[in-house]
Amino acid sequence: MNAPGSAFGTSLKSIRSDRGMSQADLAGRSGSTLRHAAFLETGRAQPSRYMIQRIERELGLPVTRSHVLYDTAGFASPYKCRAEDSADVQEALNLIENRLLANWPFPAFVLDKRWTILRHNLPGKLFLAGFIGEQNEPPNMFRIFLSPEFRERILNWKESAPIFAARLYREAADDPELADLLDQAHASGLLDGLDETFREDVPVFVPVEVLGPDGNRLRLTSMLGQLASVQDAVVEGMTIELMVPMDTAPENCLHAAANPPRDLDAAE
């Protein structure tokens, strides 16, 4: 039988291990003793709210992990975990879409923690033409990238697959649904041979080379970001992905695709 408080202890130990800290390190950072830190992890001692506040501050915990500590310790969390369809979260998504995505001239997306596409701009819709807006379920970036139809458009899968796989492995570690997707990718052979792609002369960027809307080769990389000062666990788990062309050729192609001639617009 688990000791009282063991759920908190398990969460605390996981956080400490992820940061490569010893119990002595945790004790020193949180102003506690080694004995007390050990008792917190085994459930023999219960944390105070002040102790949790000190741990989250000293370890710089994200809202999501702080929320878990409060919850497993039996305290009401000061942070919210709103539903994605709540008014507050939709307002945050509207802000990102209208102030950022709409002004980014290249493909841009808002993804949730499972990489479901929540919002996108016009260049993003064109970039994923045939994958957005034609599905019964919201499109998922991982599933799109793993689909045979999209991979046919990727011209350097062998070089870009390890970068994509690293992101999938990282996210799948904390999500059973993505872990299942990772298993499917392994079973289908999509990730075979990744160990053979090791290079000593790794470049600064490993772009994805993909066929663009006009059939030309596009070399792209991405910037990943989040809004600062987020105090909600759901919004904190969202990622803003802004695609960046590596040279002027894809830039011109994407601009042309996103801004068709006016007479074509009128004909539609």
Side-chain angles (χ1 to χ4, degrees), residues 4-18:
S6 61
F8 172 85
T10 299
S11 298
L12 181 62
K13 183 177 180 179
S14 174
I15 291 170
R16 175 177 64 78
S17 299
D18 288 347

Side-chain angles (χ1 to χ4, degrees), residues 218-240:
L218 308 182
R219 299 176 67 246
L220 304 164
T221 187
S222 294
M223 291 195 303
L224 304 178
Q226 295 174 310
L227 294 179
S229 72
V230 172
Q231 300 294 292
D232 180 273
V234 170
V235 176
E236 184 187 57
M238 296 176 183
T239 300
I240 303 167

Side-chain angles (χ1 to χ4, degrees), residues 160-238:
S160 59
I163 308 301
F164 168 73
R167 291 171 63 177
L168 180 53
Y169 274 108
R170 185 165 58 248
E171 301 296 335
D174 297 319
D175 191 290
E177 184 173 317
L178 289 181
D180 181 63
L181 188 60
L182 180 61
D183 290 340
Q184 294 177 36
H186 276 297
S188 62
L190 293 178
L191 305 182
D192 289 352
L194 294 188
D195 295 337
E196 301 170 6
T197 61
F198 175 79
R199 295 170 52 185
E200 294 184 355
D201 58 337
V202 177
V204 175
F205 297 106
V206 179
V208 174
E209 297 183 9
V210 61
L211 287 177
D214 61 355
N216 286 328
R217 178 188 296 256
L218 308 182
R219 299 176 67 246
L220 304 164
T221 187
S222 294
M223 291 195 303
L224 304 178
Q226 295 174 310
L227 294 179
S229 72
V230 172
Q231 300 294 292
D232 180 273
V234 170
V235 176
E236 184 187 57
M238 296 176 183

Side-chain angles (χ1 to χ4, degrees), residues 143-158:
R143 294 188 182 278
I144 290 173
F145 273 37
L146 290 175
S147 68
E149 295 81 9
F150 189 81
R151 282 188 295 108
E152 288 178 357
R153 295 169 51 185
I154 300 179
L155 305 177
N156 66 333
W157 175 257
K158 186 175 182 181

Side-chain angles (χ1 to χ4, degrees), residues 23-264:
Q23 286 184 339
D25 294 331
L26 175 64
R29 293 281 294 275
S30 61
S32 184
T33 65
L34 177 58
R35 177 186 175 88
H36 187 226
F39 278 15
L40 286 175
E41 289 192 2
T42 59
R44 296 179 65 184
Q46 291 291 311
S48 64
R49 179 178 288 273
Y50 171 77
M51 172 61 71
I52 298 176
Q53 292 173 341
R54 188 173 182 88
I55 290 172
E56 68 168 323
R57 181 178 67 249
E58 292 297 326
L59 272 61
L61 298 184
V63 168
T64 305
R65 305 210 77 167
S66 296
H67 180 81
V68 170
L69 286 185
Y70 283 105
D71 184 60
T72 55
F75 294 113
S77 172
Y79 305 108
K80 300 293 185 181
C81 189
R82 299 169 176 85
E84 283 189 358
D85 60 354
S86 69
D88 289 341
V89 172
Q90 290 301 308
E91 183 178 353
L93 285 169
N94 290 338
L95 172 68
I96 298 171
E97 181 177 7
N98 297 330
R99 298 298 186 213
L100 182 57
L101 302 194
N103 293 296
W104 188 254
F106 313 115
F109 310 91
V110 181
L111 313 173
D112 68 11
K113 65 179 182 178
R114 291 179 173 171
W115 291 78
T116 300
I117 301 174
L118 303 177
R119 299 292 175 92
H120 56 76
N121 60 4
L122 176 58
K125 181 178 181 179
L126 293 170
F127 181 70
L128 296 179
F131 298 96
I132 289 182
E134 299 181 4
Q135 301 165 310
N136 294 328
E137 297 181 358
N140 181 276
M141 188 70 82
F142 280 138
R143 294 188 182 278
I144 290 173
F145 273 37
L146 290 175
S147 68
E149 295 81 9
F150 189 81
R151 282 188 295 108
E152 288 178 357
R153 295 169 51 185
I154 300 179
L155 305 177
N156 66 333
W157 175 257
K158 186 175 182 181
E159 291 76 22
S160 59
I163 308 301
F164 168 73
R167 291 171 63 177
L168 180 53
Y169 274 108
R170 185 165 58 248
E171 301 296 335
D174 297 319
D175 191 290
E177 184 173 317
L178 289 181
D180 181 63
L181 188 60
L182 180 61
D183 290 340
Q184 294 177 36
H186 276 297
S188 62
L190 293 178
L191 305 182
D192 289 352
L194 294 188
D195 295 337
E196 301 170 6
T197 61
F198 175 79
R199 295 170 52 185
E200 294 184 355
D201 58 337
V202 177
V204 175
F205 297 106
V206 179
V208 174
E209 297 183 9
V210 61
L211 287 177
D214 61 355
N216 286 328
R217 178 188 296 256
L218 308 182
R219 299 176 67 246
L220 304 164
T221 187
S222 294
M223 291 195 303
L224 304 178
Q226 295 174 310
L227 294 179
S229 72
V230 172
Q231 300 294 292
D232 180 273
V234 170
V235 176
E236 184 187 57
M238 296 176 183
T239 300
I240 303 167
E241 178 153 2
L242 305 176
M243 304 201 77
V244 182
M246 299 293 289
D247 49 55
T248 57
E251 180 176 351
N252 295 336
C253 171
L254 293 170
H255 272 308
N259 300 279
R262 291 187 177 181
D263 57 336
L264 292 181

